[in-house]
Amino acid sequence: MSRKKTQAYTEEFRREAVRRADQPGCTAASVARELGIHPGQIYNWRRQFTRLSDKQFNAVDGVDYSKAESEAMRKLKREMETLRKENEFLKKVSAYFAKSQE
């Protein structure tokens, strides 16, 4: 049993195919025929664009994996770790001063 090899299309190609299919006087079927793909593929890409807007191929199950989002997440994690350490230190200092006032 052989498996059909699938073609990986770039995001730019997908965006262009959907844009062309959305032009007046064009149909998804005619654009698909020109590009040599199945018309259902254009409908799928259009649905992804509509549902996920600009993040369409950078998001999976509502999680944004774009470079900018990942960098922001790393920055927030670093900041959170710094604040956690400062909080632990302040707890120890306040306990020390509370004992010394007794």
Side-chain angles (χ1 to χ4, degrees):
M1 176 159 55
S2 68
R3 202 164 192 192
K4 192 174 184 181
K5 193 170 187 177
T6 58
Q7 171 72 36
Y9 298 103
T10 65
E11 184 174 345
E12 182 180 342
F13 178 87
R14 295 172 189 195
R15 286 184 185 275
E16 181 63 20
V18 171
R19 187 191 66 75
R20 287 177 56 191
D22 288 341
Q23 290 180 341
C26 289
T27 64
S30 65
V31 172
R33 197 172 21 257
E34 290 174 26
L35 298 175
I37 59 175
H38 190 276
Q41 194 63 62
I42 292 179
Y43 293 116
N44 289 338
W45 294 337
R46 181 184 292 146
R47 188 176 61 247
Q48 288 174 339
F49 279 119
T50 303
R51 188 171 4 124
L52 301 172
S53 67
D54 293 334
K55 301 178 187 176
Q56 129 279 356
F57 293 106
N58 294 325
V60 176
D61 295 329
V63 178
D64 185 2
Y65 292 104
S66 65
K67 186 175 180 178
E69 188 71 20
S70 296
E71 180 57 37
M73 182 63 77
R74 285 192 296 273
K75 181 181 176 189
L76 288 172
K77 285 182 179 184
R78 287 190 303 266
E79 184 178 344
M80 186 174 69
E81 185 59 31
T82 301
L83 292 172
R84 184 177 294 136
K85 288 178 182 179
E86 288 176 5
N87 194 21
E88 288 174 15
F89 174 75
L90 291 172
K91 284 180 184 179
K92 290 177 184 177
V93 169
S94 65
Y96 174 77
F97 285 118
K99 286 182 183 180
S100 65
Q101 288 184 356
E102 292 177 352

